[in-house]
Amino acid sequence: VSVQHGTSSRQAWGMSVGQLAALLDALPLDLTYVENDGTIRYYNGNTHKVYPRDAGLIGRRVQDCHGMTCDARRQVDQILHLFASGGSTERVTVSREAGRTIHVRYVAVRGADGSCIGTLEVTQDVTHIVGHAAACPTGCGLARQPHENRGEVSAQMPREGA
């Protein structure tokens, strides 16, 4: 399948659209693509859903989803504006919900000219990862790499016992 990106075209690894969709659905992540105006245009259909989603989301404004509070809507609007203005490339949040640790990464999707054309939201339940790391005070061989600051804003989850 040939993928058009801006004015350039490239081969998408010799995959069909169906294969690419299956690959995205196999990821243990919720992927959602939101255009600059806040309209949801894509989400993957994985079986590891962090939050339930249905086909009715496509075409809706992201601000109208998740039974958002005014504060959540304000945060979404801030992220979309921040990315559109070129002020940042990603933002990360971590929260605890119903005994789970949820990691959400928002990534600015840029067109060929560098302008922001939308936002990719990547959501993952990382409870098992956090639990594994907490059970291994020496790191259990997990490599710790410094975080490259690219203008993102991160919310740090408090450590147990800290």
Side-chain angles (χ1 to χ4, degrees):
V1 67
S2 183
V3 176
Q4 190 69 28
H5 181 258
T7 58
S8 64
S9 180
R10 65 181 169 102
Q11 190 66 23
W13 312 284
M15 298 172 73
S16 70
V17 171
Q19 288 170 319
L20 181 58
L23 180 145
L24 294 172
D25 287 349
L27 294 172
L29 311 162
D30 288 355
L31 301 175
T32 306
Y33 175 72
V34 179
E35 287 186 326
N36 278 345
D37 68 356
T39 304
I40 297 172
R41 293 296 177 200
Y42 170 82
Y43 68 88
N44 65 332
N46 68 39
T47 58
H48 310 281
K49 290 180 178 75
V50 175
Y51 299 113
R53 300 175 293 174
D54 63 47
L57 287 178
I58 302 299
R60 288 182 61 194
R61 293 186 35 83
V62 69
Q63 293 89 338
D64 298 332
C65 297
H66 306 297
M68 285 190 172
T69 64
C70 290
D71 188 48
R73 281 190 190 99
R74 190 173 16 263
Q75 288 178 8
V76 167
D77 288 338
Q78 286 174 347
I79 290 169
L80 295 177
H81 178 73
L82 183 66
F83 289 170
S85 69
S88 184
T89 58
E90 69 180 33
R91 182 165 180 175
V92 174
T93 64
V94 178
S95 63
R96 291 195 178 161
E97 299 175 22
R100 301 183 308 167
T101 303
I102 308 300
H103 179 271
V104 183
R105 180 178 304 266
Y106 302 92
V107 181
V109 178
R110 306 248 176 235
D113 64 356
S115 66
C116 183
I117 59 173
T119 299
L120 176 66
E121 178 189 78
V122 181
T123 307
Q124 183 177 18
D125 181 343
V126 295
T127 306
H128 63 289
I129 298 168
V130 172
H132 178 74
C136 299
T138 61
C140 295
L142 297 174
R144 299 190 191 279
Q145 297 182 4
H147 182 67
E148 178 186 341
N149 186 347
R150 295 175 300 231
E152 62 268 5
V153 178
S154 298
Q156 298 296 321
M157 186 177 73
R159 292 184 10 205
E160 300 273 335

